Structure formats: structure tokens, C-alpha cells
């Protein structure tokens, strides 16, 4: 396990993933019933952008720092970014960006007292950090275990509503296959959950192959939202990223179309684009998570 998210915190892929995640949570939180967020590859939760790791790569300069501070005119970046930027603002109340919320911090700052956050992280140091950061919060449980195995094992939740975030590092050659197998098992155990699976876009082929494999295990309501920051695909760099969304909340497709259209020119490095597309049809309209 070489991957440490501290080197990448706040990069363009984090901005896309976290802005989409905040949009999903905002919609799920519109109903009073409790919900579970299961973050199966959690990282450490909170990142210091002045730290050695973040400074070494400077990735946040081409990510969150492109949209921070947000323009003073309210809504200039679009309403879609608001729930995400509110969390970034709460962490950096004086203005300049020092701390960046990972997915656990983002979730926890949006969740209510009746909700629950389950965090899974395999790396011993990162998991210990997660525990130091969050274990005192009664809404949080932290598991040091394999996320692919934990996914089906921790589902379905007693709340019967919620979001499952699947954000592996894709550093092992078999990770995509493990992800699809684990997603299939999780979905069979909990077919009404909302799932968000992040994937990298380096060359188009492997990303398409991953989506094709997901299609085989998700029989309905699979939406993809992608953003690329380079026009040319190259195998050695992250040209873009996507989220495969199972059972997305009602009208999220429309909201993400607007969100990504706003974000793309701000995050672009050399062209690129975005797409929001149903891979497997909407399904029955009464199936609202
Ligand atoms: N979701 C986090 C966020 O948005 O702030 C970032 C997660 S980072 C991309 C992936 C994390 O997965 C790393 O912290 C890594 O240590 C962890 N990891 C790698 N393999 C794992 C496995 N098999 N099970 C659980 N965690 C794993």
C-alpha cells in the first residue's frame, strides 16, 4: 500500500468527487429519517494543505485553489457548488485555504445527530489518524479492514437509507475487478442504497471497461458523471475522473450537468470536457431512495 491521499488532497479529482458527494448528501438530507454514510476507502479525513505531502505535489493549486476564494457575488459559481464550498469555508473561516476536507470530514459536517458515518481504512497509520480525528463522535465508527470485503459485510444498514462511497486508490492491477465484484455483492444485499464509485480516467479503454463491468452487475439506475481536464488522453497522467452513481437521488442528473459545466472550464488544464449520462436506464419513477 503505497498510496497516501495527503499527496493529492484538494486536487481536481477531489473537487469533482466531493462536490458531487455534497450534492447527493444535500438531497438525501432533505428527508428527516436517519441515514448511513459508508466510506469504504476513507483516507485520514482532514488534510493540511501547508503540510509536506501536499506542498510536494502542489496538486491543490490545480484543484480547490482554482475556485478558492469563491467570487463574492453569491451564486457566481452556481448553486451546485454551494454545499461543498460551505464545508470548505467552515474549515477556513479566516479566508486563506489551510485545511481541506476529505470525504469523512465533508460527510460529518453535513450529517445530523440522527445519522451515522462508517469509515473503513486499511492503512494502519491512516486508520489510526482517522480514529484520532473522529472516534469520539458518537455518530462515527472506524474499521481497519479491507474496503472491498467491508462493503457487502456492512450492508444493508439498519437505517435503510444512505450513501456508500467507494474510492479506492487503483494502485493494484486487480483493483477494478475486485471493485466490481464487491459492488455486485453489496448491491445484491442492498439494492436500494445510493452508491458513488470514483474512477480515474487515464486512457479511455480501462475506464470504459470498468463501466461496462459495472453495467453487468447493476441492472438499473446507473448514472455516470465525468470531467476531463486534458483533451488528449495519455496513460501516464490523470486526464480526468468520473463517478459511477447507482440509484442517484431524483434530478441529480440535471444538477450534475449544470455543476460540471461550471466546474470544467475552471479546472481545465488543456481542454477536456464533461458528460453526465445514464448507462442503465432511470428505472421506475417510484423508486426514490
Ligand atoms: N475517500 C477519501 C477522500 O475523498 O477524502 C480518499 C481515499 S484515497 C483515494 C484511498 C484510500 O484507500 C487510501 O487512504 C488508502 O490507504 C486506502 N486503501 C487502499 N487499499 C485499501 C483497501 N483494500 N481497503 C481499505 N482502504 C484501502
Amino acid at each position: 500500500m503505497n498510496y497516501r491521499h495527503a499527496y493529492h488532497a484538494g486536487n481536481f479529482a477531489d473537487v469533482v468527487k466531493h462536490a458531487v458527494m455534497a450534492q447527493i448528501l444535500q438531497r438525501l438530507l432533505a428527508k428527516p429519517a436517519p441515514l448511513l454514510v459508508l466510506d469504504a476507502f476513507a483516507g485520514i479525513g482532514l488534510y493540511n494543505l501547508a503540510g509536506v505531502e501536499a506542498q510536494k505535489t502542489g496538486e491543490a493549486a490545480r484543484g480547490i485553489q482554482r475556485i478558492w476564494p469563491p467570487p463574492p457575488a453569491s451564486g457566481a459559481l452556481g448553486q451546485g457548488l454551494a454545499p461543498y464550498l460551505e464545508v470548505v469555508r467552515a474549515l477556513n473561516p479566516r479566508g486563506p485555504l489551510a485545511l481541506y476536507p476529505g470525504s469523512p470530514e465533508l460527510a460529518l459536517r453535513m450529517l445530523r445527530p440522527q445519522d451515522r458515518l462508517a469509515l473503513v481504512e486499511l492503512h494502519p497509520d491512516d486508520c489510526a489518524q482517522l480514529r484520532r480525528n473522529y472516534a469520539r463522535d458518537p455518530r462515527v465508527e472506524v474499521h481497519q479492514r479491507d474496503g472491498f470485503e467491508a462493503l457487502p459485510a456492512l450492508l444493508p444498514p439498519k437505517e435503510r437509507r444512505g450513501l456508500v462511497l467507494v474510492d479506492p486508490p487503483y494502485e493494484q492491477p486487480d483493483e477494478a475487478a475486485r471493485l466490481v465484484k464487491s459492488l455486485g455483492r453489496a448491491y445484491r444485499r442492498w439494492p436500494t442504497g445510493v452508491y458513488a464509485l470514483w474512477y480515474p480516467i487515464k486512457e479511455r479503454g480501462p475506464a470504459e471497461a470498468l463501466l461496462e463491468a459495472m453495467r453487468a452487475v447493476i441492472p438499473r439506475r446507473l448514472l455516470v458523471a465525468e470531467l476531463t481536464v486534458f483533451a488528449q488522453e495519455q496513460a501516464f497522467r490523470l486526464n480526468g475522473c468520473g463517478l459511477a452513481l447507482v440509484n442517484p437521488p431524483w434530478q441529480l442528473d440535471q444538477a450534475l450537468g449544470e455543476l460540471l459545466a461550471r466546474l470544467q472550464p475552471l479546472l481545465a488544464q488543456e481542454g477536456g470536457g464533461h458528460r453526465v449520462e445514464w448507462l442503465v436506464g432511470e428505472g421506475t419513477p417510484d423508486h426514490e431512495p
Side-chain angles (χ1 to χ4, degrees):
M1 289 181 68
N2 294 319
Y3 183 95
R4 309 304 295 278
H5 197 65
Y7 290 95
H8 309 290
N11 68 3
F12 82 84
D14 260 7
V15 172
V16 172
K17 169 180 55 186
H18 296 147
V20 170
M21 185 181 160
Q23 276 281 309
I24 296 173
L25 283 177
Q26 189 187 44
R27 285 170 165 71
L28 292 179
L29 291 164
K31 287 183 184 170
L35 55 93
L36 167 83
V37 173
L38 168 56
D39 191 344
F41 298 82
I44 60 174
L46 185 61
Y47 298 91
N48 175 7
L49 293 181
V52 181
E53 295 93 339
Q55 288 293 315
K56 192 165 175 182
T57 61
E59 289 189 20
R62 294 181 297 281
I64 182 62
Q65 277 161 357
R66 290 265 185 101
I67 56 173
W68 193 269
S74 73
L77 287 179
Q79 280 311 308
L81 274 172
Y84 163 62
L85 291 177
E86 268 167 36
V87 172
V88 179
R89 196 188 313 278
L91 278 170
N92 299 281
R94 286 164 207 267
L97 202 59
L99 294 174
Y100 184 78
S103 45
E105 182 77 25
L106 177 67
L108 209 49
R109 284 181 177 265
M110 293 185 72
L111 293 182
R112 306 154 303 183
Q114 66 266 43
D115 302 320
R116 200 159 59 90
L117 176 63
L119 302 174
V120 180
E121 169 59 53
L122 190 57
H123 195 291
D125 297 346
D126 285 3
C127 191
Q129 183 69 50
L130 260 187
R131 284 213 168 88
R132 282 195 293 278
N133 286 347
Y134 302 109
R136 276 186 303 265
D137 189 315
R139 297 171 297 171
V140 179
E141 55 193 65
V142 179
H143 305 264
Q144 188 190 348
R145 64 193 283 188
D146 175 40
F148 297 111
E149 170 268 326
L151 254 189
L154 296 178
L155 298 175
K158 62 178 188 291
E159 292 83 357
R160 299 170 64 194
R161 303 177 63 230
L163 170 65
V164 179
L165 178 67
V166 186
D167 184 23
Y170 294 90
E171 61 178 355
Q172 307 291 341
D174 67 341
E175 255 175 70
R178 291 185 71 199
L179 182 150
V180 172
K181 193 169 166 202
S182 169
L183 171 67
R185 289 175 61 203
Y187 183 85
R188 284 192 295 278
R189 288 173 68 91
W190 194 33
T192 55
V194 180
Y195 298 79
L197 300 98
W198 184 90
Y199 58 92
I201 302 175
K202 292 182 175 175
E203 284 176 303
R204 216 48 258 180
E208 287 301 329
L210 176 64
L211 292 177
E212 205 44 50
M214 283 188 204
R215 233 148 93 118
V217 297
I218 302 298
R220 50 185 214 157
R221 302 199 82 238
L222 176 60
L223 180 75
V224 290
E226 290 183 349
L227 183 146
T228 51
V229 297
F230 291 100
Q232 295 269 313
E233 64 173 58
Q234 287 192 17
F236 64 86
R237 70 177 180 204
L238 194 61
N239 300 301
C241 65
L243 285 141
L245 303 165
V246 180
N247 295 324
W250 193 53
Q251 291 185 334
L252 188 78
D253 49 353
Q254 211 177 311
L256 293 189
E258 285 161 27
L259 173 75
L260 297 186
R262 294 255 191 179
L263 265 183
Q264 202 285 330
L266 299 166
L267 298 176
Q269 295 178 46
E270 280 173 35
H274 77 281
R275 74 161 170 154
V276 176
E277 204 176 292
W278 287 96
L279 277 196
V280 182
E282 266 254 42
T284 51
D286 62 345
H287 181 80
E288 209 189 319

